[in-house]
Amino acid sequence: MEPVLALVSGALFTAAIYLILRRSIVKLVLGLILLSNGANLLIFTVSGLTRNAPPLIPEGMLTPLGASADPLPQALILTAIVISFGVLAFAVVLIHRAYEVVGEDDLDQMKDTDR
Amino acid sequence: MSFLVTLPILIPLLLGALSVALWRFRLTQRWLAVAGTGVLTVVSVWLLLEVYQHGILVVHMGDWPGPFGIVLVADLLGAIMTVLGAVSGFAVAIFSLSSLRPQLEKFGYYPLLHLLLAGCSGAFLTGDIFNLYVWVEVLLVASFALLTLGGERSQMEGAIKYVTLNMVSSVILLIAVGLTYGLFGTLNMADLADKFSQVEDTRLVTLISILFMVSFAIKSAAFPFFFWLPASYHTPQVAVSALFAGLLTKVGVYALFRMFTLMFDQDTGYTHQMLLWIAGFTMLTGVLGAAAQFEFRRILSFHIISQIGYMIMGLALYTPLAIVGGVFYIMHHIIVKANLFLVSGAVYRITGSYDLKKIGGVYRSHPWLAILFLVPALSLAGMPPLSGFFAKFIVIRAGVEIESWPIVVVALITGLLTLYSMMKIWAEAFWKKPPEPLEPVRHPGAFWVLYVPIAGMALITLCIGIFAQPIFALAMAAAEQMLDPQVYIDAVLGDRP
């Protein structure tokens, strides 16, 4: 399963970088969304996929029987999803506002501050 | 005393929440910000003194021991950074009283300011890499909102670049954190330092270290990744600019110092050599970029970049003296750079523009402001006996000692060109006659209020220069801690069986 998820994560990164390099600000934000999802999937994969072994301790025991999945990466990913959701909500409002004041969704029209 | 470690995070968080609750009472919010950042400064100084006298302070969140819970760690570097963050927050809160466009207070300027300071303190004091990521995100979100407050076209254009590149950097940081956990099963910095030092095949560790390096190099605006900074830092309200200029990029620099002394010292021939190249190019490109500019705040923005180069140079040379120089440089730089932006705001109040070609004659109308400009400006360029002289002297001396000539030459040239830029601002804004009659910006606040933070910061700059010996001793103690990771590891994991 790991190689497949690694490839999916790689594909997400590829698509994200392609979208970020486009000139449209809408595609830019779509790229950022894919980028953070690719990162989340990568953390999930790299921490090891353990099937059929939830980290539960049977009643009356102190440790789980045998190997079990590690819940921490999922906690990390959940935190990261919430954070990136907040930031992306801001980014969406930002591009909407930028579109209103500039009147274009073309990044090439937004170079005034670089001069 | 360990409750002290949590206070620099809790105070601004509580004040931020309180400011939101007092949403309509803007006068209260204003004075709450001044008083709150003042208290934050006092508490941070207290924390620093405590750490200086009694060694590293550690708090285990929820009393979870060792590497399992999240720890807050105040070592000297972290405590010094917290003090600097609080001082610049205090100065900016006072400056905001009389420089902020009144309608912006309606949109939650003060809650965001507190949130930003909480994020910075958290990033400086955490001992857990995932927690570091979370604090960095907290301060980034606050900075996004502060940057766009006002909603002008230039702010939107700058913010798109700022938000995009900082998000990419955060994703890289997240990937690095995730890979670290996947490979070593821990997120605690001390535990990681311990595990990394026992790894036999260091190639994977070096790979992860490069991910961290790229991420924090983007955040600290180092050489190939600095383009977001001059595109955005001159667009928001000047109080916001000053806080960003003093503090935000230094969070990246702080993280580089933390990571590349505590955790990643396996392959210094590769990683620190790369940092040295980054440092050299950062200095040169920054200062050359500034030479081409004619807008007050853009010149200063490019100088942030070149100064970041000096700090990274201190880290990259990786001798005890060089690290001392790096820490000293950070202390000097945060104060001086924030102050220069504050001066630019005062000049804007007087002349109505940031464009050096349109303004002039400030020396004639406000001679004291001109003198207060010269203190940080000459300090930035490295004139004795101001703070910048000692900062540059220590870093360059460290380079001479290990005969790393190319970087020494670059550092000296950069110093000279910095002086050129500062003299350009002096000649254009302060000395020459204004080409057209000036129209001051109308603002309900009194002008003299602006002098308070500017004079205070200039006084600190003078003091760092005049009392360089005790400051040097402090930086040396910080560097000793950083170069001996075992002290940090024992402090955090000491009670481990």
Side-chain angles (χ1 to χ4, degrees):
Chain A
M1 203 51 191
E2 274 92 348
V4 179
L5 280 185
L7 283 175
V8 173
S9 163
L12 281 174
F13 282 132
T14 318
I17 291 167
Y18 175 73
L19 284 171
I20 289 174
L21 293 178
R22 298 291 297 270
R23 288 193 306 208
S24 151
I25 48 177
V26 178
K27 286 174 185 140
L28 172 73
V29 168
L30 290 177
L32 291 175
I33 294 172
L34 289 187
L35 194 66
S36 52
N37 284 328
N40 291 337
L41 197 58
L42 179 67
I43 301 174
F44 190 58
T45 315
V46 84
S47 311
L49 304 169
T50 316
R51 286 175 72 87
N52 205 10
L56 297 173
I57 302 171
E59 206 172 338
M61 314 256 310
L62 288 174
T63 46
L65 295 167
S68 66
D70 182 356
L72 195 86
Q74 298 177 27
L76 299 188
I77 293 167
L78 193 58
T79 316
I81 288 174
V82 173
I83 291 176
S84 63
F85 178 75
V87 176
L88 286 168
F90 179 85
V92 170
V93 177
L94 175 70
I95 61 158
H96 178 248
R97 180 83 190 119
Y99 176 73
E100 276 181 352
V101 293
V102 180
E104 287 267 4
D105 90 327
D106 186 353
L107 278 171
D108 276 2
Q109 304 300 317
M110 302 192 184
K111 290 195 289 200
D112 287 352
T113 59
D114 285 324
R115 283 188 199 116
Chain B
M1 287 331 257
S2 51
F3 71 94
L4 263 181
V5 184
T6 51
L7 285 185
I9 304 171
L10 286 181
I11 292 172
L13 272 183
L14 287 176
L15 286 170
L18 202 58
S19 302
V20 173
L22 297 169
W23 190 263
R24 292 211 199 135
F25 304 92
R26 289 197 282 283
L27 195 69
T28 324
Q29 277 191 35
R30 237 180 261 170
W31 289 105
L32 205 60
V34 173
T37 47
V39 172
L40 182 64
T41 311
V42 173
V43 169
S44 315
V45 172
W46 186 14
L47 173 68
L48 176 61
L49 290 177
E50 200 67 30
V51 174
Y52 200 19
Q53 280 165 359
H54 303 297
I56 300 176
L57 285 176
V58 181
V59 180
H60 298 275
M61 290 290 113
D63 263 346
W64 284 34
F68 302 112
I70 289 172
V71 288
L72 294 182
V73 187
D75 70 339
L76 272 175
L77 177 67
I80 290 171
M81 298 300 296
T82 314
V83 171
L84 292 167
V87 169
S88 38
F90 188 35
V92 165
I94 299 174
F95 197 84
S96 305
L97 291 178
S98 199
S99 74
L100 199 68
R101 279 224 314 272
Q103 53 283 35
L104 293 187
E105 290 180 351
K106 268 189 257 176
F107 298 116
Y109 170 77
Y110 287 111
L112 288 167
L113 184 71
H114 290 301
L115 195 62
L116 183 74
L117 290 175
C120 289
S121 297
F124 295 145
L125 292 175
T126 182
D128 180 287
I129 49 173
F130 190 76
N131 200 229
L132 176 67
Y133 162 77
V134 174
W135 285 120
V136 167
E137 290 298 301
V138 167
L139 76 91
L140 272 183
V141 169
S143 75
F144 292 165
L146 281 174
L147 186 67
T148 48
L149 216 57
E152 282 166 24
R153 176 175 176 157
S154 63
Q155 286 180 301
M156 293 302 135
E157 294 187 7
I160 284 185
K161 291 149 203 167
Y162 179 87
V163 170
T164 308
L165 281 171
N166 274 296
M167 275 189 73
V168 170
S169 133
S170 292
V171 168
I172 296 173
L173 175 58
L174 183 63
I175 293 170
V177 171
L179 288 179
T180 313
Y181 184 76
L183 287 171
F184 298 95
T186 179
L187 294 166
N188 183 296
M189 288 188 198
D191 198 26
L192 280 173
D194 196 30
K195 286 215 163 79
F196 286 159
S197 63
Q198 291 160 12
V199 174
E200 283 181 9
D201 183 4
T202 57
R203 282 175 299 180
L204 271 175
V205 178
T206 308
L207 178 75
I208 290 176
S209 78
I210 296 298
L211 280 174
F212 277 113
M213 190 195 290
V214 170
S215 165
F216 288 119
I218 296 176
K219 292 204 192 304
S220 57
F223 163 60
F225 311 114
F226 61 74
F227 299 98
W228 57 270
L229 192 147
S232 61
Y233 269 28
H234 64 289
T235 56
Q237 291 287 299
V238 70
V240 176
S241 279
L243 192 60
F244 284 16
L247 212 48
L248 284 198
T249 47
K250 261 55 73 182
V251 176
V253 175
Y254 159 81
L256 283 176
F257 268 75
R258 171 68 75 221
M259 301 267 164
F260 285 87
T261 56
L262 179 64
M263 288 154 59
F264 302 116
D265 54 356
Q266 298 81 17
D267 194 1
T268 49
Y270 181 71
T271 50
H272 288 64
Q273 191 64 32
M274 190 181 283
L275 282 172
L276 196 62
W277 282 94
I278 291 177
F281 280 109
T282 308
M283 282 190 245
L284 267 186
T285 43
V287 85
L288 291 176
Q293 296 298 327
F294 257 91
E295 210 259 27
F296 205 145
R297 287 197 285 175
R298 279 178 68 84
I299 296 178
L300 296 179
S301 300
F302 272 104
H303 276 292
I304 300 175
I305 299 165
S306 76
Q307 307 282 311
I308 295 287
Y310 283 99
M311 297 168 212
I312 298 181
M313 171 181 163
L315 174 63
L317 291 173
Y318 206 57
T319 63
L321 188 67
I323 302 280
V324 175
V327 175
F328 197 109
Y329 212 105
I330 295 177
M331 289 195 255
H332 137 76
H333 173 86
I334 290 184
I335 303 291
V336 162
K337 185 53 85 179
N339 200 8
L340 280 171
F341 271 86
L342 295 184
V343 172
S344 80
V347 169
Y348 176 70
R349 251 313 263 289
I350 297 165
T351 59
S353 175
Y354 287 108
D355 189 345
L356 291 181
K357 284 176 185 152
K358 289 185 191 153
I359 64 180
V362 177
Y363 177 73
R364 186 167 294 248
S365 59
H366 296 76
W368 282 105
L369 185 65
I371 288 167
L372 287 173
F373 166 74
L374 276 186
V375 173
L378 292 179
S379 178
L380 193 76
M383 288 285 135
L386 298 160
S387 59
F389 168 72
F390 293 100
K392 283 201 171 63
F393 177 74
I394 301 167
V395 177
I396 291 173
R397 169 81 191 266
V400 171
E401 267 181 12
I402 56 168
E403 301 187 352
S404 187
W405 300 117
I407 195 77
V408 170
V409 173
V410 169
L412 288 171
I413 292 174
T414 306
L416 202 64
L417 288 173
T418 308
L419 188 61
Y420 161 73
S421 276
M422 290 304 121
M423 285 307 105
K424 182 165 81 182
I425 296 179
W426 170 258
E428 296 285 336
F430 291 92
W431 203 245
K432 78 162 193 250
K433 269 192 186 158
E436 56 208 77
L438 301 170
E439 283 179 36
V441 178
R442 289 204 190 137
H443 192 281
F447 187 76
W448 65 266
V449 177
L450 302 186
Y451 277 116
V452 176
I454 292 174
M457 302 279 255
L459 192 68
I460 298 176
T461 311
L462 275 176
C463 285
I464 296 180
I466 294 168
F467 302 105
Q469 181 65 37
I471 305 282
F472 182 78
L474 176 66
M476 195 135 91
E480 266 168 26
Q481 270 182 4
M482 288 153 74
L483 286 172
D484 187 6
Q486 202 56 44
V487 178
Y488 187 96
I489 295 170
D490 286 344
V492 177
L493 303 175
D495 46 358
R496 191 161 64 165

